[in-house]
Amino acid sequence: MSTLHPRLGQTAARFIQREHLLLIDGQWVAPRAGGRFEVEDPATGLLIAQVAEGQAVDIDLAVAAARRAFESGEWSRCKPADRTRLLLRLADLIEANGDELAQLEVMDNGKPLAFARRGIAGTAEMVRYMAGWATKLTGEAVPLSIPGQWHAYTVREAVGVVGQIIPWNFPLSMAIWKLAPALAAGCTVVLKPAEQTPLNALRLGELILEAGFPPGVVNIITGYGADAGAALAAHPGVDKVAFTGSTTTGKRIVQSALGNLKKVTLELGGKSPVFIFPDADLSAAIPGAANAIFFNSGQVCSAGSRLYVHRKIYERVVADIAAYGDRLQLGHGMEAGNDLGPLISKVQMERVQRYIDSGRESGATLASAPRQLSEQGYFVPPTVLADTDARMNVVQEEIFGPVLCAMPFDDDDLSAIAGLANDTEYGLFAGIWTQDIGKAHRLAARIRAGSVSVNAHMVNDPALPFGGFKQSGWGRERGREALELYTELKSVAINLGQA
Ligand code: NAI
Ligand code: MG
């Protein structure tokens, strides 16, 4: 009997059930050691596919292919407009296969189909945005003041072979956020998707071949973090590693990178604060703050997981956000009407449940209504913990589930409020809800985080840089900055001789 959801389309079902190999040098090949690992549907816990388990030897082959492709110059030194054209073709293919990609995302990751569909549309736009930069990566002429006559200029060149290691919370988007700027800049890539969600990266590999990218420009190795991931991060033939995931693994990657001092960019965890002031438009702030934590079941690095509400409105706002969460319907992502899917795995479900228990043991009160969930799948209901305080683990550590820690603030002193925001080792994101725009700007300036949004949450535009202060990471994704981080800057000075 098939373990696939009955609503799944034929194309997606056929893809899931086929043999899955590694993409190396433009060919689908079996892993050298012949291993396989299993992929499960997190909404049922049932096994749906087997994929190739790539290991260090496969990473070696993929890096060698990426190196040959880079050195040949067919991609790194081709006309920038040719890179634009191929990327635009890829964007069209993503769009044309959007229904299938969305369904694969649901089966692999668990999120509701409507959200997966929107995410896929967003990835096509990200590819188009980055495609446009290929022709706009300019250097500048630099006037020199030393004696003599000079023509000096800078140029941006592709950094080289890039290893990209991505997480499971937005499988296709994370692949595209990494690949698109690297490819636009002229790099060649070895991509390692998360072991929990390998399917969409593999389908993307097919679309990349269909678009006509030269062999070896994109290589895709499915496998475990401790094997394939670690081998890629440590590889002496890799010029840069770009990682999204936990802060713990990010630190390991930095250590692995020491060997050849490869460039490193990291997009890591967060414990992002959301502030609701008494003058906020609560009809927007309440659903906004609720979605900031419940969207994607809280498996979002920029989730608004610490909620600070002014004491004047604290009771009401917390009750309303909890009630909003109580109304969200949980279930299989392929079934219409569900707002939230499961967490990605049993491990994550148990981790999140442990956090909820630990919060309650340390004195937090549960503002959400208790719920009876089905036995199957890795579901955790939206959970609002009220009366939390800064010393609790649940307030300090990234939970990565639909768990909100609510706290009142009574100060009107912005430096005290900024102190609350900054009382964390992370610095990824912060949300501010107020009608007083001057106050919003003043507070935004005091918050140590890579992104701040005012009267909105998770503003997700390809042009807007995204990344972390403090232990939330190094570098930026999206925007021109993402692209520049896939380049090296070279300066050239030419002695023009005597007049
Ligand atoms: P992880 O950071 O261990 O995994 C992310 C990626 O890194 C996966 O592709 C994995 O295979 C790879 N990886 C793991 N160990 C590696 C190593 N030693 N060398 C190279 N690559 C390695 O995250 P995990 O274990 O799946 O989730 C644990 C926690 O991480 C979550 O509870 C959450 O707090 C956080 N997380 C944060 C994400 C974010 O977007 N910032 C995304 C996923 C997880
Ligand atoms: Mg891990």
Side-chain angles (χ1 to χ4, degrees), residues 195-196 246 249 252 351:
E195 54 270 34
Q196 297 86 347
S246 63
T249 300
R252 248 182 234 139
R351 175 190 302 218

Side-chain angles (χ1 to χ4, degrees), residues 16-342:
I16 291 175
Q17 287 164 335
R18 92 162 56 137
E19 182 180 30
H20 297 292
L21 300 170
L22 308 174
L23 179 59
I24 300 178
D25 210 8
Q27 306 288 328
W28 293 100
V29 298
R32 276 300 163 98
R36 295 266 181 283
F37 65 95
E38 280 168 331
V39 181
E40 61 181 346
D41 174 356
T44 61
L46 299 173
L47 302 177
I48 56 168
Q50 288 206 325
V51 302
E53 186 192 340
Q55 295 187 340
V57 50
D58 306 296
I59 292 287
D60 282 344
L61 294 170
V63 171
R67 175 59 59 193
R68 280 194 303 276
F70 184 76
E71 300 300 340
S72 83
E74 194 185 348
W75 184 251
S76 51
R77 292 191 299 273
C78 76
K79 297 280 181 224
D82 291 339
R83 290 203 293 274
T84 300
R85 233 185 312 278
L86 269 189
L87 284 163
L88 291 176
R89 203 178 293 161
L90 178 62
D92 290 345
L93 284 170
I94 290 173
E95 218 159 58
N97 293 277
D99 287 329
E100 180 192 357
L101 292 166
Q103 291 175 23
L104 294 177
E105 194 97 339
V106 173
M107 291 305 293
D108 219 1
N109 163 278
K111 71 189 62 196
L113 185 61
F115 294 115
R117 198 69 190 77
R118 221 177 292 160
I120 304 302
T123 62
E125 287 312 306
M126 176 65 85
V127 175
R128 293 191 176 110
Y129 171 86
M130 289 297 172
W133 273 118
T135 52
K136 294 160 196 74
L137 268 180
T138 54
E140 53 189 13
V142 183
L144 302 188
S145 300
I146 55 175
Q149 296 200 57
W150 300 89
H151 172 50
Y153 60 91
T154 59
V155 275
R156 290 206 170 267
E157 294 180 359
V159 73
V161 172
V162 180
Q164 302 187 319
I165 301 173
I166 55 170
W168 38 260
N169 50 346
F170 297 93
L172 191 72
S173 308
M174 290 297 100
I176 288 298
W177 282 30
K178 292 271 182 284
L179 284 169
L183 295 174
C187 295
T188 61
V189 177
V190 178
L191 175 75
K192 195 207 79 69
E195 54 270 34
Q196 297 86 347
T197 55
L199 295 175
N200 250 344
L202 293 169
R203 184 67 185 107
L204 180 64
E206 293 186 338
L207 298 179
I208 284 168
L209 295 184
E210 191 179 334
F213 284 79
V217 169
V218 178
N219 305 273
I220 299 173
I221 304 291
T222 49
Y224 289 105
D227 300 327
L232 185 56
H235 205 290
V238 169
D239 298 301
K240 162 172 169 151
V241 62
F243 170 78
T244 296
S246 63
T247 297
T248 310
T249 300
K251 289 179 181 176
R252 248 182 234 139
I253 293 211
V254 169
Q255 275 163 344
S256 313
L258 279 178
N260 70 338
L261 279 182
K262 57 175 65 68
K263 308 294 183 267
V264 180
T265 49
L266 304 168
E267 205 261 274
L268 307 176
K271 193 72 191 179
S272 300
V274 172
F275 291 89
I276 303 183
F277 286 88
D279 65 353
D281 171 3
L282 293 183
S283 69
I286 287 166
N291 285 316
I293 183 65
F294 300 140
F295 172 68
N296 213 42
S297 302
Q299 303 169 115
V300 181
C301 47
S302 55
S305 52
R306 291 186 289 143
L307 176 68
Y308 296 92
V309 186
H310 196 280
R311 195 176 297 278
K312 279 189 207 150
I313 53 169
Y314 174 76
E315 300 281 339
R316 170 187 164 198
V317 167
V318 172
D320 284 358
I321 290 175
Y324 186 101
D326 292 341
R327 286 192 301 272
L328 295 174
Q329 194 173 311
L330 275 67
H332 199 291
M334 287 305 298
E335 278 151 31
N338 288 330
D339 305 298
L340 298 179

Side-chain angles (χ1 to χ4, degrees), residues 427-452:
L428 196 53
F429 170 83
I432 301 171
W433 294 86
T434 175
Q435 309 265 28
D436 179 343
I437 288 305
K439 181 162 66 188
H441 278 295
R442 291 195 303 277
L443 182 54
R446 302 289 294 267
I447 293 178
R448 307 269 304 150
S451 302
V452 178

Side-chain angles (χ1 to χ4, degrees), residues 353-413:
Q353 282 166 343
R354 275 199 305 278
Y355 271 114
I356 295 172
D357 294 343
S358 120
R360 296 182 71 183
E361 280 154 21
S362 56
T365 53
L366 186 63
S368 304
R371 282 208 208 192
Q372 205 57 47
L373 295 179
S374 84
E375 299 284 288
Q376 251 201 345
Y378 308 129
F379 291 94
V380 174
T383 304
V384 177
L385 295 174
D387 309 321
T388 50
D389 73 62
R391 291 180 311 276
M392 295 179 183
N393 287 349
V394 283
V395 176
Q396 288 299 331
E397 295 169 20
E398 179 174 59
I399 298 177
F400 229 62
V403 183
L404 181 64
C405 294
M407 290 154 279
F409 68 94
D410 17 30
D411 230 309
D412 290 312
D413 167 16

